[in-house]
Amino acid sequence: MSASTAKPAVNVLLLYPRFQAGSFWNYRDACELVGAKYPAPPLGLITVAAMLPDHWQPRLVDRNTDTLTPADLAWADVVFTGGMLPQQSDTQTILRLCREAGVPAVVGGPDATSGPEHYTDADFLVLGEAEGVIQDFVAAFERGARSGRFEAEKFKADVTTTPVPRFDLLDFDNYVEVNVQFSRGCPFTCEFCDIIELYGRKPRTKTSAQILNELQRLYDLGYRGHVDFVDDNLIGNKKAVKQFLPDLIAWQNAHGRPFELSTEASLNLADDPDLLEMMRQAGFFAIFIGIESPDPEVLVATRKKQNTRRDIAASVHKVYEAGIFVVGGFIVGFDEESPQVADEIAGLIEEAAIPVAMTGLLYALPTTQLTRRLAAQGRLHAEFDVADPDHEVGDQCTAGLNFETVRPREEVLADYRKVVERVYAPDAYFARLRRLVDLLDMRGPNGDIFNARLGSDLKKLGRLVWGITRHWPEHRGPLWRMILYTLRTNPRALNPMLHMVALYVHLGPFSRFVSATIGKQIEEIEAGRWQSPALVAAE
């Protein structure tokens, strides 16, 4: 295009909202130990940035790591923002700042897609998966439109057309990890999950070439270290992932294994030793698995039957045998759970030797089967999906149970508090960590420290040991005892062990915060100061 016909530049400010502070995943102290500011960057925004025309010039401000200035807004012709429910309050703050600055604001992302009624102050709503709708927005904006709503057809986005995210917009030093995505969707039907409502039950996958191009881009930009596959279930399409993993293994080997990998998967991963071995060879070292409950009645009722067909602890140990540690997800608050739920969940966490157990209260997310059922029963709180901007509570760990419970609410909260206090007591946590060190089979690449990320790993190790020794003296003894134990019994497990110690710098204080917050909620109920919110009218 000649200079005379070139389109004028459009300055796009990508504004990633802050997560509320009181969140399980907001482990700032642990991040600071390794010289970072926040766990992960905004993959969605930098992917959308890659879909824009060349004359649209993006700049990123992540409000979890950086400060938004008036000069940023003065530079912008348009602002893109949006995120998840724990970011709702700050997204609305961003909309107010945009109005005051006279800059049109575009809101997208999962929370806006699930609850667009909360974002009526946005100039534009871009709902659903961006691949199916972003070009319609661009065309309208360039025609002069300064407001509108664009909604993609559900589950139709062709992810094989998704471009390489604009990783060049990131300051890698700000983050513990960088993210990529192989697939969207999950084949299961868990009642409480919104993934199948947002992305469908038929997982759609990128090609091997696409993901390898993304990894190559990260490599070329000089990044080395942790890459998280943010798929909601990496093995949702087993055939596709088994075709991809050999290519990933070959790429990692050809580049000196620059990345250690993590992801989320369902527990049936343990049934497939060949798949586990491929994941080991590819460099996966950590997996989040939603276990939810050891109670078969609960699992059947919440439509998570896949977890009833196995010994859960034994399945977790099979993953450990592949040199991969498990972060487990557990939920308190199901209708069918027994009064023994606290001992049942804590007992399973200890039996399975899961150091990091993300235990939360059941939360009815917008658009889910659970929310529809609770609404039909007249049990759903009217403002069930409204984030409270005045509270530090940030997620289901302290702000769950947005509905009327079957058991007395104070009993559910007390059981939840018991789980949190029991599993994050220092002795209990480090006992599970020692068992994890014993169970991890670190043969193969996960236990090999001599790789292309060695320099990055050593730098993080030094910062971790120095940071804990100097700033968290209460963890100094457990750290050095764990280092000596690991060097004596399973030295190749040193890296995952240190990950777990670093996370406890966050999880220890966070568990005490959760216990105190839940304790106050129980006190309010018992003192008669807590009033049940208004309910959605039963259908």
Side-chain angles (χ1 to χ4, degrees):
M1 183 180 294
S2 67
S4 60
T5 59
K7 293 183 177 180
V10 178
N11 294 335
V12 185
L13 184 61
L14 310 172
L15 270 183
Y16 194 49
R18 290 191 193 101
F19 280 86
Q20 286 177 286
S23 170
F24 179 91
W25 302 109
N26 190 5
Y27 41 95
R28 287 185 180 274
D29 287 343
C31 294
E32 290 172 3
L33 280 177
V34 294
K37 296 180 180 179
Y38 208 70
L43 180 63
L45 277 178
I46 63 173
T47 301
V48 170
M51 300 176 190
L52 298 174
D54 290 342
H55 62 287
W56 286 53
Q57 300 176 354
R59 176 194 295 177
L60 173 67
V61 175
D62 181 350
R63 279 169 57 88
N64 299 284
T65 62
D66 298 305
T67 301
L68 174 67
T69 68
D72 293 319
L73 290 169
W75 170 86
D77 296 312
V78 62
V79 167
F80 284 14
T81 191
M84 297 185 285
L85 181 60
Q87 296 170 283
Q88 186 183 102
S89 296
D90 198 52
T91 303
Q92 291 168 345
T93 296
I94 289 171
L95 292 179
R96 175 180 58 79
L97 293 172
C98 289
R99 285 197 309 274
E100 293 170 356
V103 183
V106 184
V107 175
D111 192 49
T113 297
S114 297
E117 66 275 10
H118 300 308
Y119 296 98
T120 54
D121 288 342
D123 299 288
F124 295 93
L125 287 173
V126 178
L127 308 178
E129 297 173 85
E131 291 89 346
V133 72
I134 192 66
Q135 296 308 322
D136 294 337
F137 159 74
V138 167
F141 190 88
E142 292 195 334
R143 289 194 303 268
R146 290 300 176 264
S147 65
R149 176 174 172 141
F150 303 85
E151 191 162 0
E153 187 177 359
K154 293 182 74 172
F155 318 148
K156 297 296 184 182
D158 181 0
V159 297
T160 65
T161 67
T162 305
V164 174
R166 287 290 305 273
F167 295 120
D168 58 297
L169 297 174
L170 302 178
D171 181 347
F172 294 135
D173 290 338
N174 281 343
Y175 304 104
V176 173
E177 64 190 44
V178 175
N179 304 334
V180 297
Q181 184 183 56
F182 175 65
S183 66
R184 293 183 202 157
C186 178
F188 297 115
T189 59
C190 305
E191 185 189 40
F192 54 84
C193 183
D194 64 347
I195 295 305
I196 56 176
E197 309 292 342
L198 289 167
Y199 305 119
R201 290 189 55 215
K202 185 177 180 181
R204 290 160 286 140
T205 65
K206 294 178 180 177
T207 65
S208 291
Q210 280 178 282
I211 293 294
L212 298 184
N213 284 340
E214 294 184 20
L215 296 178
Q216 187 66 49
R217 180 61 174 149
L218 287 169
Y219 184 87
D220 292 343
L221 288 168
Y223 182 74
R224 304 290 184 272
H226 184 179
V227 174
D228 183 49
F229 280 69
V230 297
D231 305 46
D232 295 288
N233 187 354
L234 182 72
I235 67 168
N237 185 334
K238 274 193 177 184
K239 180 180 178 181
V241 79
K242 282 186 170 182
Q243 290 174 341
F244 163 60
L245 286 173
D247 296 329
L248 177 57
I249 293 166
W251 187 93
Q252 284 267 61
N253 289 337
H255 291 76
R257 310 191 65 80
F259 304 134
E260 57 178 0
L261 310 175
S262 61
T263 193
E264 181 172 348
S266 43
L267 190 58
N268 59 314
L269 170 64
D271 301 340
D272 195 329
D274 293 337
L275 180 54
L276 275 170
E277 182 58 27
M278 281 194 285
M279 293 184 71
R280 179 211 294 265
Q281 295 299 326
F284 284 91
F285 77 103
I287 294 180
F288 180 90
I289 296 178
I291 296 170
E292 322 313 355
S293 172
D295 187 335
E297 281 191 39
V298 168
L299 294 172
V300 169
T302 198
R303 302 183 184 180
K304 194 145 192 165
K305 294 181 181 179
Q306 66 269 23
N307 282 9
T308 67
R309 306 184 186 113
R310 66 200 73 253
D311 180 320
I312 293 175
S315 296
V316 170
H317 294 168
K318 287 181 181 178
V319 180
Y320 291 165
E321 290 169 8
I324 301 169
F325 70 76
V326 170
V327 175
F330 298 87
I331 298 175
V332 176
F334 290 111
D335 290 354
E336 297 76 17
E337 68 189 16
S338 77
Q340 289 76 46
V341 61
D343 289 334
E344 291 169 352
I345 289 180
L348 175 59
I349 291 168
E350 290 167 355
E351 180 188 3
I354 301 173
V356 179
M358 195 286 178
T359 308
L361 292 161
L362 184 61
Y363 194 98
L365 291 167
T367 76
T368 60
Q369 300 167 81
L370 172 64
T371 295
R372 292 192 289 271
R373 174 171 66 80
L374 292 170
Q377 294 172 348
R379 297 169 55 197
L380 185 68
H381 293 171
E383 294 191 345
F384 72 98
D385 60 345
V386 177
D388 187 342
D390 297 323
H391 286 181
E392 287 295 293
V393 294
D395 58 18
Q396 64 271 36
C397 291
T398 48
L401 303 184
N402 54 349
F403 58 92
E404 296 300 289
T405 57
V406 169
R407 290 196 296 143
R409 188 179 189 90
E410 63 271 26
E411 291 183 13
V412 177
L413 291 172
D415 284 332
Y416 170 62
R417 187 186 187 192
K418 182 178 178 181
V419 175
V420 172
E421 290 179 342
R422 178 170 160 182
V423 301
Y424 286 113
D427 290 348
Y429 185 88
F430 285 97
R432 295 196 306 276
L433 183 50
R434 284 191 293 274
R435 283 201 63 213
L436 173 66
V437 169
D438 294 339
L439 291 166
L440 282 174
D441 182 348
M442 299 303 292
R443 289 176 294 179
N446 278 356
D448 181 9
I449 66 170
F450 296 103
N451 50 55
R453 65 175 189 276
L454 176 59
S456 172
D457 285 351
L458 289 174
K459 187 176 180 181
K460 288 181 179 179
L461 171 62
R463 283 175 169 168
L464 171 63
V465 173
W466 172 250
I468 289 179
T469 301
R470 182 171 182 181
H471 299 294
W472 284 274
E474 69 272 24
H475 299 307
R476 186 185 306 152
L479 169 65
W480 283 107
R481 285 193 292 272
M482 279 306 312
I483 288 175
L484 293 173
Y485 181 83
T486 305
L487 291 175
R488 187 172 69 250
T489 61
N490 189 2
R492 291 169 69 90
L494 187 64
N495 189 42
M497 182 277 293
L498 289 170
H499 274 86
M500 297 293 98
V501 174
L503 285 172
Y504 192 70
V505 170
H506 161 65
L507 294 171
F510 180 71
S511 66
R512 294 190 289 273
F513 162 76
V514 170
S515 177
T517 302
I518 297 300
K520 291 177 183 177
Q521 293 179 21
I522 294 171
E523 288 175 8
E524 289 180 357
I525 295 170
E526 292 177 340
R529 295 193 301 271
W530 186 83
Q531 298 295 322
S532 177
L535 303 176
V536 174
E539 296 176 2

